[in-house]
Amino acid sequence: MSFEQELAEQRREKLKRIEALGYLTYPHRFAYTHTLPQILQMFSSKTAEELMAEKPIVRVCGRLQAIRGHGKAGFADLAQSDARLQVYVRKDAVGDRGFELYQLLDLGDFIGAEGYLFRTRTGEMSLHVTDFIMLSKALLPLPEKWHGLQDLELRYRQRYLDLLANQEVRSVFLARSRLIRALRSAFDQRGFVEVETPMMQPLPGGATAKPFRTHHNALDIDLFLRIAPELYLKRLVVGGLDRVYEINRNFRNEGISTQHNPEFTMLEFYQAYSDYMDLMALTEELLPELAMQTCGTKEIKFGDHIIDFDNISRYSLREAICQFWPDDATRPQLDELSDEKRTADLIKNWNSMFPELDRVPVPDLANPSGGISHGAALALLFEAVCERKLIQPTIIYDFPVEISPLAKSKANEPGWVERFELYIAGMEIANAYSELNDPDEQRRRFEMQMALREKGDAEAHEMDEDYIRALSYGMPPTAGEGIGIDRLAMILTGSRSIRDVILFPLMRPEVPADSETD
RNA sequence: GGGCACGUAGCUCAAUUGGCAGAGCAGGGGACUCUUAAUCCUCAGGUUGCAGGUUCGAUUCCUGCCGUGCUCACCA
């Protein structure tokens, strides 16, 4: 028997002794008069004399986080919802049977206690217990009380222990909850309707990504976990829901990193009769609002940076390449980026300047239909040159059409679309565009994607006939945006890894301890 | 998937050049009726992630595997 099992056996033995004393071991409820946060709020300001005079009688409950015995008396710390109250148990106050129960308590047990509030000699408000019961026993020992739970693997696999032991982890997830509440309230106030669209889709669309595949037995069809809700939300705009939003999970069958979890939470919203400029304005309005409601400030500390959510700059993608180009001698002029030859030279230039980085692919001018397109190459060059430098909130607008199959072209520049992305802390946080609502143009864009797919791009967008049919009934001019909630939560909580803002990040399954290895 | 680290008691961490695997917390027993990382005495707790190899001897060196982290690639 392992030591851990031994400890559990000892505690089961205690449960039997508790039962023998006539207590229930797993009672069904406890009628408390106050939560611990309420106790602290209501009585913390009272002096020892005031408490002595009033002797307020309360019933409270929580988990034991410290026990300090003193012979025929003892102290214990009761914890509930980030609040802590010391309880004082004396044999002469709880009786022989009650004190025997006290001596059978372990760290981690839940108890319910009745008594009166007083201040100890050191001034700490405490509960002088007159009666108490066991509510539930911890058979396994909790993490160390002083250092908490450090082991990252255990913290992710057994998040409940992480939440118990590490107060700052609780506060991260409370902040995430405030963020989502602030988002809902922001969109509700602006007249948006919250909807839910399929997570299981026969055709994965709305993004370029590799999907998870699953199977429905009764229909005997393969389905895909959605990579984005986009095409369904726009069908709803066709259906007359002018302002819709959805906060839900997307699934992408790709790598895992500090910025990527296979399932992640996305807000997508669509606003009819608007274009991407309207959404830039809305985004700039939204960000400080979210920061205030989540953190109480618009200036957020992230690593070595203070990120100012009130101050959002804008560059076009081409401007950004010129602006952030690292070398004055070779810095491109804006109009040069429209020239394919000049772009190809620039990329070669970049690759030779930073040989330690991965090469940005160079478009093949002699064979324009093979290899990477001018637009896709420019987008990659932008990422290489600019992305990690975009620490302060920055909107990057106007993207190449080749990588934007669902966005509306710019009126005077058909090779470019009305699309923007929001970057904070070097991460892409949001992606938005004026939605392409011309069904014939949408078909041509899908056909362009099919051509890419035939050239081996597994992530190129699939042809979606039903979506084209929906557009054919008419969709108003509409702008839509997706915001990565996990990454926004990272920034607002100062978390360096996405796993620190996802309660149960995906891990390899544990190998059972008793399994034979072969 | 590539590269680099890490894995020792339930938890947090030690262990000299390769020489008997230790401490604190938690746990058992005992003392203690105002402590708060309570204190004091005492006891128990380990196939050092797994499997091999080198060696008189491996927590330590080597190989493979498993797991985790960071990073690169892919991506939001």
Side-chain angles (χ1 to χ4, degrees):
Chain A
M1 183 159 58
S2 76
F3 185 60
E4 196 171 10
Q5 287 170 321
E6 239 173 79
L7 292 174
E9 273 318 304
Q10 283 172 2
R11 295 187 182 198
R12 285 198 179 85
E13 205 49 49
K14 288 182 181 179
L15 272 182
K16 284 182 192 160
R17 287 160 64 187
I18 288 166
E19 208 165 14
L21 287 171
Y23 292 101
L24 293 172
T25 47
Y26 290 96
H28 288 217
R29 68 191 301 272
F30 182 75
Y32 58 89
T33 58
H34 303 73
T35 64
L36 294 190
Q38 285 170 341
I39 294 274
L40 297 187
Q41 200 218 325
M42 292 172 66
F43 299 103
S44 282
S45 58
K46 304 264 185 190
T47 65
E49 293 72 26
E50 287 168 331
L51 286 177
M52 180 94 79
E54 289 177 37
K55 280 201 175 180
I57 292 175
V58 297
R59 289 165 64 84
V60 296
C61 42
R63 196 194 272 273
L64 287 173
Q65 292 212 316
I67 298 174
R68 297 178 290 278
H70 281 274
K72 297 182 182 61
F75 291 92
D77 290 340
L78 203 57
Q80 182 183 36
S81 316
D82 270 331
R84 186 192 73 93
L85 179 70
Q86 177 170 266
V87 300
Y88 182 44
V89 180
R90 294 169 58 118
K91 192 172 188 178
D92 54 14
V94 298
D96 289 353
R97 175 169 162 270
F99 203 71
E100 266 188 74
L101 176 61
Y102 168 77
Q103 287 173 314
L104 292 169
L105 294 177
D106 285 293
L107 289 188
D109 291 354
F110 286 92
I111 65 165
E114 179 174 320
Y116 59 87
L117 295 170
F118 75 110
R119 282 196 186 277
T120 62
R121 208 160 57 195
T122 55
E124 177 164 351
M125 185 171 67
S126 307
L127 181 75
H128 195 117
V129 177
T130 50
D131 191 23
F132 77 102
I133 58 170
M134 161 82 65
L135 295 177
S136 181
K137 194 148 194 56
L139 294 177
L140 292 173
L142 262 43
E144 214 249 6
K145 64 182 172 187
W146 191 241
H147 298 95
L149 188 66
Q150 300 297 323
D151 186 290
L152 271 180
E153 185 175 350
L154 288 182
R155 288 183 45 207
Y156 295 144
R157 286 194 195 281
Q158 296 179 269
R159 181 70 89 180
Y160 44 91
L161 295 180
D162 194 22
L163 289 165
L164 274 177
N166 301 320
Q167 189 274 327
E168 66 281 6
V169 173
R170 273 198 302 276
S171 73
V172 163
F173 287 102
L174 293 179
R176 182 183 168 123
S177 168
R178 286 196 299 278
L179 169 63
I180 289 174
R181 196 155 6 116
L183 280 165
R184 285 218 158 86
S185 131
F187 283 95
D188 292 345
Q189 278 168 19
R190 288 171 173 83
F192 283 78
V193 175
E194 181 171 9
V195 297
E196 293 175 88
T197 62
M199 312 284 274
M200 295 194 293
Q201 304 177 347
L203 199 64
T208 52
K210 295 187 201 79
F212 288 93
R213 182 191 297 265
T214 185
H215 187 79
H216 187 272
N217 288 342
L219 295 180
D220 190 25
I221 51 168
D222 279 348
L223 292 166
F224 299 91
L225 300 189
R226 74 178 190 190
I227 55 176
E230 170 155 351
L231 300 186
Y232 285 92
L233 290 171
K234 283 190 277 192
R235 284 176 174 95
L236 297 180
V237 178
V238 170
L241 300 182
D242 284 354
R243 292 187 168 208
V244 290
Y245 76 97
E246 176 167 9
I247 297 175
N248 225 322
R249 227 65 67 79
N250 288 348
F251 307 86
R252 299 191 184 174
N253 205 340
E254 287 160 357
I256 295 176
S257 79
T258 48
Q259 291 171 47
H260 301 84
N261 194 62
E263 56 178 312
F264 62 101
T265 302
M266 184 96 146
L267 160 74
E268 276 201 22
F269 65 92
Y270 291 83
Q271 177 170 312
Y273 310 108
S274 305
D275 70 2
Y276 76 146
M277 297 299 290
D278 296 312
L279 292 195
M280 285 188 214
L282 175 57
T283 303
E284 288 172 346
E285 188 179 302
L286 209 55
L287 277 181
E289 201 177 310
L290 296 174
M292 272 312 280
Q293 288 183 44
T294 306
C295 304
T297 169
K298 298 170 189 171
E299 295 185 341
I300 308 295
K301 193 170 179 307
F302 188 80
D304 297 331
H305 304 285
I306 304 288
I307 294 176
D308 182 2
F309 274 55
D310 232 351
N311 189 358
I312 301 171
S313 45
R314 296 187 188 185
Y315 299 96
S316 76
L317 183 138
R318 286 167 287 186
E319 283 168 359
I321 293 175
C322 300
Q323 172 78 23
F324 293 99
W325 193 262
D327 170 46
D328 280 339
T330 54
R331 185 186 306 280
Q333 294 297 306
L334 195 53
D335 54 1
E336 293 177 309
L337 296 179
S338 307
D339 183 274
E340 297 201 18
K341 167 87 169 60
R342 179 71 174 113
T343 302
D345 288 344
L346 260 185
I347 292 174
K348 287 177 196 161
N349 204 322
W350 170 268
N351 286 339
S352 65
M353 271 194 296
F354 298 98
E356 75 279 8
L357 297 179
D358 273 20
R359 297 170 61 81
V360 176
V362 182
D364 183 356
L365 299 178
N367 178 19
S369 63
I372 188 166
S373 65
H374 176 239
L378 265 186
L380 290 174
L381 183 62
F382 158 76
E383 282 175 25
V385 174
C386 309
E387 186 165 15
R388 69 190 58 207
K389 294 181 182 165
L390 302 178
I391 304 298
Q392 294 300 321
T394 307
I395 283 173
I396 300 293
Y397 61 92
D398 290 354
F399 279 67
V401 66
E402 296 95 325
I403 57 163
S404 314
L406 301 164
K408 189 179 265 180
S409 296
K410 288 174 69 73
N412 52 356
E413 265 190 308
W416 295 81
V417 298
E418 295 189 353
R419 170 179 175 186
F420 73 86
E421 291 183 343
L422 171 70
Y423 287 85
I424 309 177
M427 292 189 289
E428 186 187 333
I429 300 298
N431 179 20
Y433 34 88
S434 303
E435 303 298 337
L436 176 57
N437 60 343
D438 171 347
D440 295 334
E441 173 63 12
Q442 184 64 73
R443 178 178 297 283
R444 284 191 290 276
R445 297 285 191 84
F446 279 155
E447 279 163 356
M448 277 170 61
Q449 292 289 312
M450 297 303 283
L452 286 179
R453 186 165 280 270
E454 272 164 34
K455 272 164 43 183
D457 181 353
E459 295 184 6
H461 206 290
E462 305 242 21
M463 172 66 74
D464 190 334
E465 290 288 353
D466 181 71
Y467 175 65
I468 291 175
R469 178 170 64 181
L471 289 185
S472 303
Y473 284 97
M475 182 170 85
T478 299
E481 179 166 343
I483 299 178
I485 301 301
D486 312 273
R487 287 182 178 177
L488 193 51
M490 284 170 67
I491 292 161
L492 292 175
T493 59
S495 304
R496 290 204 319 271
S497 168
I498 200 169
R499 285 183 286 272
D500 293 326
V501 299
I502 292 175
L503 282 167
F504 296 100
L506 185 67
M507 304 280 276
R508 280 205 157 77
E510 273 181 286
V511 180
D514 55 352
S515 75
E516 296 289 323
T517 46
D518 50 358

